[in-house]
Amino acid sequence: MTLHNPIGIWGGNQQNKWGNASFGIIITEWIRKELLAKLHPNLPDDLPLAPMGVDVSKFQRRRPYEPYKAGELQLFCCARLNPAKGFDILLKATALLNESGLVTCLTIAGEDDTGGLGYRREIERLILSLGLQDKVRLLGSVAEEVVKEELEQAHLFVLASIEEPLGVAIMEAMAMEVPVVSTQAGGVPELLSNGFGVMVPPGDESALASAIRATATDEEMSRSLSKNGRSLITEKFHHRLSAELIAALTKGLQQSRSEPQKQD
């Protein structure tokens, strides 16, 4: 069994499902704590932590990262167009930055669950109501190469999620040496705490705008986050971590089943 979101999202009969699993793999510590609190003792003995990962050999820059200095501040966000990702907060923060005199452009990669006919339309209406039609680009669903190129151009990656199990898009930005400003939602602190990113409370556009401004206008901070981010992903969130863990657990399980059983 594996768990990539809070257990309540995945339907019923969880005790039976987990009680019959040989082992489980959890992507964040906060999800593992919730699982233990709700289903103990109906859990397998092995519940190791193995976050989703990034292939850092693919996600690497062709050009050195350059912090913001003057002109237009370029923000990039990559996420499914869903209210849980806090796009209303991100757009309002972008409007606040422009109103304060810091010219800020935002590019968003991602589409809604109905191919652009659902929540995207609410986002488009909000962009118009905030007067951001010349400052925000909606790319829709795009290829990985487009995401990497946008990350090459960005000064900051920003994600304003209300709920976020961990954040592969954040990992990809960090692997591309782009400083990250996000919220303290879900498992994000496991990525961005201790100087690896900047976090604000979810749902607060003023705090988000202030954090974006403070990070963008501090060249030393931006360079430090750029360097530290890739180092963390390379060391602890590489894409082979889960595969190696599954292989080790499976091998151990096979060995235990092949060993002769002791007779009482």
Side-chain angles (χ1 to χ4, degrees), residues 88-109:
D88 57 334
I89 301 301
L90 177 54
L91 291 169
K92 290 174 184 177
T94 302
L96 288 174
L97 289 165
N98 279 287
E99 290 166 6
S100 71
L102 178 57
V103 180
T104 305
C105 296
L106 170 65
T107 298
I108 299 172

Side-chain angles (χ1 to χ4, degrees), residues 164-209:
E164 191 64 52
L166 187 57
V168 171
I170 293 176
M171 295 182 201
E172 292 173 348
M174 295 170 77
M176 290 287 289
E177 302 177 45
V178 182
V180 174
V181 177
S182 187
T183 59
Q184 297 159 335
V188 173
E190 296 179 38
L191 281 171
L192 299 185
S193 295
N194 303 315
F196 292 104
V198 176
M199 292 180 290
V200 299
D204 190 336
E205 61 264 28
S206 295
L208 183 62

Side-chain angles (χ1 to χ4, degrees), residues 248-264:
L249 288 169
T250 304
K251 182 178 179 180
L253 185 64
Q254 290 172 340
Q255 289 176 342
S256 67
R257 286 176 174 173
S258 64
E259 291 175 356
Q261 298 296 312
K262 293 182 179 179
Q263 299 294 323
D264 291 334

Side-chain angles (χ1 to χ4, degrees), residues 35-167:
L35 185 67
L36 287 166
K38 290 186 175 181
L39 292 187
H40 182 77
N42 297 296
L43 293 168
D45 293 333
D46 286 323
L47 284 174
L49 194 67
M52 298 171 289
V54 173
D55 185 346
V56 294
S57 68
K58 290 184 178 180
F59 281 85
Q60 56 182 333
R61 301 187 70 88
R62 296 189 297 270
R63 303 178 293 275
Y65 170 75
E66 288 295 333
Y68 171 78
K69 293 184 174 65
E72 293 182 348
L73 173 62
Q74 299 292 333
L75 307 180
F76 180 62
C77 177
C78 181
R80 177 171 51 98
L81 301 189
N82 185 282
K85 300 297 182 179
F87 284 108
D88 57 334
I89 301 301
L90 177 54
L91 291 169
K92 290 174 184 177
T94 302
L96 288 174
L97 289 165
N98 279 287
E99 290 166 6
S100 71
L102 178 57
V103 180
T104 305
C105 296
L106 170 65
T107 298
I108 299 172
E111 193 54 273
D112 64 27
D113 297 329
T114 55
L117 301 176
Y119 186 62
R120 180 190 178 110
R121 296 192 173 177
E122 292 186 35
I123 293 175
E124 291 171 339
R125 286 192 289 270
L126 183 55
I127 289 170
L128 287 173
S129 70
L130 293 170
L132 293 174
Q133 54 268 36
D134 296 328
K135 297 290 189 294
V136 178
R137 291 189 300 149
L138 298 177
L139 301 183
S141 180
V142 295
E144 182 179 281
E145 288 303 318
V146 176
V147 172
K148 290 194 290 185
E149 184 57 35
E150 292 295 336
L151 286 167
E152 289 264 9
Q153 303 295 329
H155 295 116
L156 298 177
F157 178 89
V158 185
L159 189 63
S161 295
I162 307 302
E163 303 171 1
E164 191 64 52
L166 187 57

Side-chain angles (χ1 to χ4, degrees), residues 207-243:
L208 183 62
S210 295
I212 291 170
R213 175 185 287 275
T215 307
T217 56
D218 187 332
E219 184 174 339
E220 184 178 352
M221 178 192 293
S222 293
R223 290 193 184 279
S224 176
L225 293 174
S226 170
K227 179 182 177 181
N228 292 346
R230 180 166 176 85
S231 296
L232 178 71
I233 300 305
T234 300
E235 180 182 351
K236 294 185 178 181
F237 295 92
H238 62 84
H239 73 299
R240 296 192 61 83
L241 184 61
S242 291

